[in-house]
Amino acid sequence: MQLADYLSEKNTLVDVQASTKTDLLSNLCARAAVAASSDAKTISCEILKREGLGSTGVGGGVAIPHARIPGLKSAFGVLARLQKSIDFEAIDGEPVDIVFLLLLPTATSGEDLNVLAAVARRLRNAEALRALRQARNGAAFHGAMVA
């Protein structure tokens, strides 16, 4: 399993502007809906429902909002680096600047859980985070994530 199978370069965004967590998630869900040929309202509702259970801000300036989406055939991701960190109600109380929105099919498979685990592992790696934060453009940002 390679992260590049679930994250395309065109869905890696640098210098994203958002003033609130809800604003950011709404924008990322709309982007994901177009790229995944899915319904933006459904994606947004599921992501916000998951956030209602507890923040997906995992600490260290990173958030991994995720949800199971009806009709989705395979896991799909959108990676964003924010121009300015925002409050995401993260477990460490720190603002977030790196967000990986992960959409999963409703049918559970071991591979889906492996994708979530792989994303979390990569975003816990200090060297990978440094490379993500220092990437000068979308191609370098994507490369730092899928390396």
Side-chain angles (χ1 to χ4, degrees), residues 74-128:
S74 62
F76 176 84
V78 176
L79 177 64
R81 182 179 70 201
L82 305 183
Q83 190 174 57
K84 183 180 175 198
S85 299
I86 61 170
D87 178 29
F88 210 90
E89 302 164 351
I91 60 171
D92 63 357
E94 295 297 316
V96 163
D97 68 332
I98 302 287
V99 179
F100 194 111
L101 178 79
L102 181 62
L103 307 180
L104 302 165
T106 52
T108 305
S109 77
E111 184 174 337
D112 296 338
L113 297 177
N114 288 340
V115 174
L116 181 56
V119 168
R121 261 192 316 275
R122 186 73 181 150
L123 294 176
R124 274 195 313 259
N125 179 296
E127 188 175 308

Side-chain angles (χ1 to χ4, degrees), residues 27-72:
N27 290 338
L28 293 180
C29 288
R31 169 99 180 192
V34 171
S37 301
S38 191
D39 178 60
K41 186 174 180 176
T42 299
I43 292 172
S44 186
C45 284
E46 293 300 321
I47 288 291
L48 292 174
K49 186 186 319 179
R50 168 57 188 88
E51 283 298 314
L53 298 174
S55 177
T56 55
V58 297
V62 173
I64 310 172
H66 57 281
R68 295 199 175 274
I69 307 300
L72 195 67

